[in-house]
Structure formats: C-alpha cells, structure tokens
Amino acid sequence: DRKKLHTAPVGQVFRLRPFHVLVATGGGYAGYKKYEDYKLEQLEKRGIEVPVKLASEWEVALYKSVPTRLLSRAWGRLNQVELPTWLRKPVYSLYIWTFGVNMKEAAVEDLHHYRNLSEFFRRKLKPQARPVCCLHSVISPSDGKILNFGQVKNCEVEQVKGVTYSLESFLGPRICTEELHFSKPQTGDSFQQQLVTKEGNELYHCVIYLAPGDYHCFHSPTDWTVSHRRHFPGSLMSVNPGVARWIKELFCHNERVVLTGDWKHGFFSLTAVGATNVGSIRIYFDQDLHTNSPSYSKGSYNDFSFISNNNKEGIPMRKGEHLGEFNLGSTIVLIFEAPKDFKFHLKAGQKIRFGEALGSL
C-alpha cells in the first residue's frame, strides 16, 4: 500500500534564469559597495585620506545589470500612494530621524498635511528659510554637499578629487551657435575652447550632491537665459560620494537633463543628474520633458530649443527663481564661462544651502 513519491529533476526545481541571476548578483554587489562606502565615509570623518580605487569594466557592467530604472519607477509609484492619516506621522518621523530633516524650515510643519511620500520629499520651505545672497554673482542652486569645483582643464571635469569625466561626453555635441548667440568656433579648437566665447575667459565647474534629507527643489544660480534643453536617458546608478569616487564618468552614464544658455560673461549650463530612485527630474517651464521612460535607446539624447519665432531670446531666469525639482535627491553640475579673476568661496566637502554664495568676481 505504499504510495509512490514522484520527484522532479533537480534542474526543474532549481531553474534559474539569467535575469534572476543578474538581479541577485548585482543587488548583492551593490549592497556590498554600500557597506564599503560607509567605511570610507568613516575614514574621511577621521581625517584619513582615502586612495582612489576605480571600478573595473566588469564591475560597472555588473552594477548596470541591476534594473535601477525599473526599481526607480516602482519607487516613484509607491511614493504616490496616499497614506492613511494615522500612518503619516510615524512614516515621516522615521524618515526625518534617519536623514536629519529639519522640519522647522518647511512651509507646512504638520506631517499629516502630506498625503504621500512624494509630497513630503518635494516639500516647500518658508520664504525666510533660504535668503538669497545679493553680493555674489553665483549662488548655490540647492542644498547639498560640495563634491568638487574649480577650472575645467584639458576638456576633463572632476566629479570628485582624482576622478574625472569628459566634458564633451557629459554635455554632448556643441549646440548650434545661432541658438546660443555665440561666435563660430575656429577650426581645430577643442570642445572646451568652443564653449568659451570671450577672450581671457575660463571655463569653471561646480558639483553639488543632494542627500535624501536635503531640500529637493533647485533654483536658478544666477541671472541667465536658458536657450536649450538636452535630455540624456541612461542608467540610474547611485551618485553618492562613495560611488562617484569609484566609477569614472559616473555622471556620463546616468540619466541627466542639461540646460544651456548664456549669462553676462558668456556660456552657462546647469545639469540635473538622476540617480537610483530619482528617475523623476522636473523642470518647471518645460512641460515636454519626461524622464525615466520605460523605453529608451542607449547613448541617445533628445534636444529641445526654447528659441522660437515667438520667443527669440529663450527663458530668462532670475537668481534664486524656482527652476525644478528631484523626486528624492541627486546631483547638480554647473559648468560656466567667467573671467580669470572669478573666485569660488567654497571648500570641497562642505555643506551648503540654497541661496548661499558659490563665487564671484
């Protein structure tokens, strides 16, 4: 009367698909790197200089195998789910405690007011919380941490100390001179020289990292006119300082929105770089921009001009004016032209708030 025990081949029970292997392996490796980043941050706090160790090609490929775009879209939808009123305070309080959010600066301090996490992330500040510096020509467009700043040299920009990326790969091909009102480049000029429009000027850059607990809106860093937008679909890897120190040309891999135009000293650009869980980049005056689309072509970019028959100048922006927002936190990169006597009033690694001075002549 014994019953037969039917068994399936081992290969059918443990059927692993390549996608599942990549997700599991890539996710585990990303977790390991997070732990390594934490250890590096602790060493930096103790004043110990950390040697640069760049990721190999296979490590970058493994990291890219993690479906960060899909996860970011899922996170975005989760953030828009309305929370029950009784659950809002416990959830937001945990976030505030974890990331050190200062709710006394928020325009609405009552946590029950925010229906979902997305509204809480994009909370507005009290008008007096961020006074805009009037004495300096360029201010910080956002809260964050200064990763790097200085002159652009040899068409290379530093994302953190000792780790660079290509200026042309980051901004893409030069935009037509008619659109930006610039003089035509001379034959043989480097990409960097083509961006400098006035004799005696230099090209400068500044990188600001927004942590999850920072104010997530960004503003105009100076008085300028936005003529063009270039959207690069791409990866959504983490852009925290540890990863920026590890992956060369990280900002060139990630999805980003490049706004270019001019200010009183020539070329000016502001780039909002996406990251994990930050697939949503919004520019207030650009209703045609849609980031983290499910379908995209690797290495492609989309151009949009704000110059038209009805608008010959572009979009004028005043210093401190609202410009856009992230859905969590990411990175702002400024690349601009200025005279040689332009001076930054910064220190690498310092915390900065929107409205504070970046530099002046």
Side-chain angles (χ1 to χ4, degrees):
D1 295 331
R2 293 180 181 176
K3 294 183 180 179
K4 292 183 179 181
L5 178 63
H6 295 278
T7 59
V10 175
Q12 293 181 11
V13 177
F14 299 101
R15 182 176 294 173
L16 294 177
R17 297 179 181 177
F19 177 76
H20 297 154
V21 173
L22 286 174
V23 171
T25 308
Y29 193 78
Y32 166 74
K33 286 306 300 178
K34 285 284 188 181
Y35 174 67
E36 289 291 311
D37 296 340
Y38 171 76
K39 291 197 300 183
L40 290 176
E41 288 179 6
Q42 296 306 309
L43 291 175
E44 286 183 343
K45 288 179 180 179
R46 291 160 56 187
I48 301 174
E49 188 171 347
V50 181
V52 175
K53 183 181 178 182
L54 294 177
S56 62
E57 290 186 9
W58 73 265
E59 287 178 309
V60 176
L62 183 60
Y63 192 178
K64 282 187 171 182
S65 72
V66 180
T68 52
R69 294 178 62 84
L70 177 62
L71 293 173
S72 296
R73 286 195 295 273
W75 176 253
R77 291 182 181 180
L78 179 63
N79 285 352
Q80 294 173 5
V81 174
E82 185 169 343
L83 296 176
T85 305
W86 62 268
L87 189 58
R88 294 174 188 176
K89 188 171 183 178
V91 170
Y92 301 147
S93 296
L94 177 61
Y95 187 91
I96 290 168
W97 176 80
T98 304
F99 297 108
V101 178
N102 183 4
M103 284 302 294
K104 291 183 178 180
E105 297 177 332
V108 180
E109 296 183 40
D110 182 11
L111 298 181
H112 297 100
H113 169 80
Y114 303 100
R115 294 173 298 176
N116 51 49
L117 282 166
S118 182
E119 287 189 2
F120 179 72
F121 292 148
R122 295 181 287 105
R123 64 192 176 277
K124 297 297 186 287
L125 299 181
K126 295 173 182 175
Q128 67 274 19
R130 297 289 187 275
V132 175
C133 178
C134 299
L135 301 177
H136 298 274
S137 53
V138 183
I139 62 168
S140 176
S142 66
D143 289 6
K145 178 182 180 180
I146 301 296
L147 294 190
N148 216 307
F149 63 92
Q151 283 189 18
V152 177
K153 297 180 180 179
N154 302 320
C155 296
E156 291 282 322
V157 186
E158 281 195 314
Q159 58 191 30
V160 295
K161 186 177 180 180
V163 182
T164 63
Y165 57 93
S166 164
L167 180 65
E168 186 169 5
S169 296
F170 181 69
L171 295 178
R174 191 171 186 269
I175 301 161
C176 66
T177 55
E178 291 79 7
E179 188 170 317
L180 293 180
H181 314 293
F182 293 164
S183 58
K184 293 184 178 180
Q186 299 297 318
T187 304
D189 282 351
S190 68
F191 185 80
Q192 179 177 338
Q193 292 170 330
Q194 291 176 25
L195 295 180
V196 178
T197 63
K198 299 180 181 178
E199 187 175 352
N201 281 3
E202 297 287 349
L203 208 60
Y204 297 86
H205 74 99
C206 183
V207 183
I208 306 169
Y209 166 69
L210 289 74
D214 287 327
Y215 168 57
H216 302 308
C217 297
F218 51 93
H219 301 245
S220 175
T222 192
D223 295 334
W224 64 308
T225 301
V226 184
S227 304
H228 187 272
R229 178 259 291 162
R230 177 169 284 162
H231 171 217
F232 290 85
S235 301
L236 288 173
M237 296 184 283
S238 171
V239 293
N240 73 53
V243 177
R245 189 185 295 107
W246 181 54
I247 297 181
K248 183 178 174 65
E249 297 204 331
L250 171 64
F251 299 154
C252 298
H253 290 296
N254 271 17
E255 181 151 3
R256 58 198 183 277
V257 177
V258 183
L259 300 178
T260 52
D262 55 283
W263 70 319
K264 60 183 178 182
H265 299 297
F267 173 80
F268 200 97
S269 74
L270 180 148
T271 302
V273 182
T276 309
N277 295 336
V278 196
S280 173
I281 302 171
R282 182 184 174 194
I283 305 297
Y284 294 136
F285 57 74
D286 188 353
Q287 302 302 316
D288 295 316
L289 175 65
H290 301 286
T291 57
N292 196 10
S293 172
S295 59
Y296 78 101
S297 176
K298 183 178 179 181
S300 65
Y301 59 85
N302 305 305
D303 282 345
F304 184 86
S305 175
F306 298 109
I307 304 293
S308 64
N309 293 331
N310 297 326
N311 181 6
K312 299 292 186 181
E313 299 299 324
I315 308 295
M317 297 297 300
R318 304 296 297 175
K319 183 168 65 175
E321 186 177 351
H322 278 84
L323 182 54
E325 63 188 31
F326 293 111
N327 206 28
L328 186 57
S330 193
T331 299
I332 295 286
V333 179
L334 302 179
I335 298 176
F336 57 93
E337 174 185 359
K340 291 183 178 180
D341 57 350
F342 182 87
K343 300 294 182 184
F344 283 102
H345 305 286
L346 302 170
K347 292 181 180 179
Q350 78 171 72
K351 292 287 293 182
I352 198 166
R353 305 202 303 176
F354 155 61
E356 295 178 345
L358 283 186
S360 61
L361 299 170

